[in-house]
Amino acid sequence: MSTQGYDEELRSERSYVAGLYARLDAERARTKGEYEAALGANGTLAMERDVEVRALARQMRRLDVVDNGLCFGRLDTDSGERRYIGRIGLFDEDDDYEPLLLDWRAPASRAFYVATAVSPEDMRRRRQFHTRGRHLADFTDEVFGRLGGDEHGDAALLAAVNAPRGEGMRDIVATIQAEQDEIIRLDHAGVVVIEGGPGTGKTVVALHRVAYLLYTQRERMERHGVLVVGPNPAFLHHIGQVLPSLGESDVVFMTPGDLVPGLRVTADDGPRAAWLKGSLAMLDVLAAAIADRQRLPEEPVPIELGDVTVRIDAATAEWAREEARSSGLPHNEARAVFTEIVTYVLTERAIGRIGRDWLTRDDREAWEDLRGDLLAQLAEDELFAATLERLWPILTPESLLGPLYESRERLRAAGADEALWRADGDAWTVSDVPLLDELVDLLGRDKAAEQAVDRAAERERQAEAEYAEGVMDIMALDREEQDEDIGLAAENLLFAKDLADRFVEQDTRELVERAAADRDWTYRHVVVDEAQELSEMDWRVLMRRCPNRSFTVVGDLAQRRSEAGARSWGSMLERYVPGRWEYRSLTVNYRTPAEIMAVAASLLAEFAPGVRPPESVRSCGVQPWSRAVTDGELTTAIAEFTREEAGREGTSVVIGPRDVPGAVPASETKGLEFDAVLVVDPERILADGPRGAAELYVALTRATQRLGVLHRDPLPSALTGLTAIAGAVSR
């Protein structure tokens, strides 16, 4: 294309994109008008109005997040049709709703991502727009099916991967590659495993897959939402804006430590304790620990009943215990069976002694009247209540597990390894979370406590209803008063709209808030990132959260650092979804330049020789370096790196052992990316066995442009490919 021709095309495209933004603004205005009309609708059932208001509120949010890069490309078919591709779909209402802009998830948009010169998908040209806000800066063309055609198909991709990193992960909607698109649109109802080395985009592909599923199955999925599980809060913050930027907000983000609502993780387990807790063998330990709390009295317990004394002896308690256990009910619910048997025995004994001279079993009415009196006495008897609590206590997951950890005797009784002992039983770790969650089902509910909570909630609902009724009464001015004081009426209407807006805002957040706070909430789809770290017990928690077993699982077995984690995907998944999981791999590294990946690949070859490293899509032209420093030079060298990077655009991080000033451990950078990375004391990271090798591999592959290494001890042999320097660390 000549320069003049290109300029004319650019003006034409700018005009078209401007028209799309005008259409977007009109759609926003229309939706806002319908939203305000729905708020003030009369004669409509409240439930119907609320459904409409919530739907319109969601639509307004989707329209509000697509300004940047609304339209990012164009497809020209062999037949001369032009298809503009963007974040959402827009239609011409004046022309039979002809599509002006295709949603990137629509079937007709797929060729934008998968067409190649070998397989053009009936396309003649792919045009990629480069925009800044609403401004179309320029475009590049890839023409299919002709020699000598323009070959700028990778320009948009290279511009994206070379761009400085910001605070969070960006969506890749404009630069999805063919192997990624295949996974995003995969039609599979079970579990999809996406494995890929560092920088292959597996996380962002999984998030785009969620957006695609919400687009194609919105009605089914939106009511229950999607759960995204990531390794740590920093990672969740990093990825948190990807789905909102694609117009999707009904998503709950959690770490494995958040899966039990209200629990606060404050401690870390050692490798052996974490491995033990992650094993399915803990199911037997938990069952035995519960059984150990179902006791028999060492001595008969005397209970004053009527004018006689009856006793709870070991034989009575044993009969009651066996009946309660054989009921199949969870521990707390089975207590009713235990109580019923003990109560039956005590009242029978008391009736037999009280009425032995005058009462027979034929006199059923008198017998039952006497039993009723005795039951009422037992209900008020403090010793009876205390004895029941001692023999069959109501337990919470915390009140069972904490004392178990603190007692070597209880651990032995439950058949548990003494490595689980700790002085502070309530110092919860991430590995405790699946055990506490399991205990919710094994113990069952405390119905009395739940009823008290329900009563309190009902009182609160009644108070809110009375308040709302009072507000409506105040606002129900008769028309004459409104005519006399238009200003007051307008103020009241604005107040009403403000109340409605806040009510709608609360409702639109309600799914996420309720789901995060409700242990029994089930999701339509779950994304699990860094899934190689999850234990067998972790997977039980997640499967409970998604009964239909619809998962996108993301991980890299070579990066596993947890002894309890996955050594193969089948070992974790086959018991839950036999024959219903599919494996896909990503092989291209979009993050790590070839110069840095060569160093990481040398390390990978040492600790995982059978794993092939991903192939980098680009070079950065900057060689990664190493520098030997003394203890006294370390702090200055780190400060030099930090000062140098502060003057550059982009992000940087120092990764090293926790006692290195200003450094974060590699485990806290998993899934993150930075323009520049300084790794400190790699020899100490590596010294932590197989887990240390995986940690160092993670640290080396976080950089998108520049990598430096500071070492006080001799450099590990796997890193000898680094360029050794002396003096200042800036490059």
Side-chain angles (χ1 to χ4, degrees), residues 577-716:
V577 284
R580 284 191 59 226
W581 65 280
E582 288 199 18
Y583 176 85
R584 293 290 187 273
S585 64
L586 294 170
T587 59
V588 179
N589 188 331
Y590 300 99
R591 174 206 301 145
T592 317
E595 295 89 343
I596 296 175
M597 197 62 217
V599 177
S602 296
L603 175 65
L604 183 67
E606 284 197 3
F607 81 91
V611 178
R612 182 178 179 181
E615 182 178 354
S616 295
V617 75
R618 67 191 175 96
S619 297
C620 65
V622 179
Q623 290 298 319
W625 53 265
S626 66
R627 175 187 167 190
V629 295
T630 65
D631 291 347
E633 294 171 332
L634 179 63
T635 301
T636 300
I638 293 174
E640 288 174 2
F641 169 83
T642 304
R643 184 169 56 253
E644 177 71 19
E645 290 301 329
R648 289 174 162 151
E649 187 179 4
T651 60
S652 64
V653 69
V654 178
I655 301 176
R658 290 186 182 276
D659 59 356
V660 172
V664 298
S667 59
E668 294 182 10
T669 66
K670 297 191 79 169
L672 308 183
E673 58 185 19
F674 306 87
D675 292 87
V677 171
L678 181 67
V679 178
V680 180
D681 288 345
E683 64 280 5
R684 290 179 57 200
I685 299 174
L686 193 59
D688 195 12
R691 181 168 75 170
E695 291 259 292
L696 183 54
Y697 183 60
V698 169
L700 295 173
T701 54
R702 298 306 96 194
T704 67
Q705 302 291 343
R706 299 174 296 281
L707 171 67
V709 173
L710 297 177
H711 61 100
R712 288 180 279 183
D713 293 328
L715 199 64

Side-chain angles (χ1 to χ4, degrees), residues 458-472:
E458 180 59 29
R459 287 194 297 270
E460 185 176 349
R461 282 193 294 270
Q462 289 178 353
E464 289 175 351
E466 290 171 1
Y467 171 76
E469 185 176 352
V471 170
M472 294 302 293

Side-chain angles (χ1 to χ4, degrees), residues 117-314:
V118 176
S119 179
E121 303 281 330
D122 298 324
M123 298 295 148
R124 185 174 63 85
R125 183 201 314 268
R126 173 169 48 222
R127 175 167 290 177
Q128 292 177 309
F129 295 158
H130 310 139
T131 61
R132 289 189 292 271
R134 290 191 168 200
H135 176 67
L136 174 57
D138 55 37
F139 65 82
T140 56
D141 279 351
E142 185 177 6
V143 179
F144 303 118
R146 115 183 155 199
L147 294 175
D150 297 328
E151 297 180 353
H152 300 293
D154 289 334
L157 172 64
L158 291 174
V161 297
N162 280 317
R165 267 40 185 181
E167 184 177 341
M169 178 180 284
R170 296 169 295 197
D171 65 66
I172 58 168
V173 64
T175 57
I176 294 171
Q177 301 301 292
E179 70 168 359
Q180 298 171 330
D181 185 78
E182 179 184 354
I183 297 171
I184 289 169
R185 299 175 193 264
L186 185 62
D187 184 16
H188 183 71
V191 176
V192 175
V193 176
I194 308 173
E195 183 164 27
T200 53
K202 51 189 179 293
T203 297
V204 74
V205 166
L207 296 174
H208 283 67
R209 176 167 166 75
V210 168
Y212 177 77
L213 292 174
L214 285 166
Y215 175 80
T216 56
Q217 306 174 33
R218 186 167 303 282
E219 184 176 351
R220 185 181 73 86
M221 293 186 66
E222 219 171 29
R223 289 195 299 268
H224 286 256
V226 173
L227 172 65
V228 175
V229 179
N232 53 59
F235 173 83
L236 294 181
H237 177 74
H238 180 65
I239 70 171
Q241 289 306 307
V242 173
L243 284 166
S245 75
L246 298 172
E248 306 299 347
S249 58
D250 289 329
V251 180
V252 177
F253 293 89
M254 290 186 179
T255 69
D258 299 326
L259 289 169
V260 171
L263 186 75
R264 187 164 174 258
V265 171
T266 60
D268 294 314
D269 279 313
R272 179 163 178 77
W275 175 75
L276 289 167
K277 292 178 182 181
S279 168
L280 291 179
M282 284 300 298
L283 295 174
D284 293 333
V285 171
L286 296 179
I290 293 172
D292 185 53
R293 301 293 291 269
Q294 299 163 355
R295 299 296 183 90
L296 305 179
E298 296 179 0
E299 299 290 339
V301 180
I303 302 294
E304 298 295 328
L305 200 54
D307 296 329
V308 301
T309 299
V310 291
R311 287 173 173 79
I312 304 175
D313 53 28

